[in-house]
Amino acid sequence: MFLPLFLLAVGGLLMAQPRTKRWRERLLTHFKGDEQKVKQRANTFFLLGFAFIMAGLAYLYRLTAM
């Protein structure tokens, strides 16, 4: 019962992380100011977080449906 909740929490964290100011500043310095790469990385994190949330919901549904 712990795994679906863990997946949901990690998914929420991954989706929220690119919105922080610190994350954005660190990536801007890493990519040497290339805004397009920063947006691409933020979209990747958002989709990864969404996938974690969907996996958590599916696993939670499977546990409760049995």
Side-chain angles (χ1 to χ4, degrees), residues 35-49:
E35 187 70 34
Q36 184 179 2
K37 286 189 178 185
V38 173
K39 285 182 182 179
Q40 187 178 21
R41 182 69 56 97
N43 288 340
T44 302
F45 268 75
F46 185 83
L47 289 175
L48 183 63

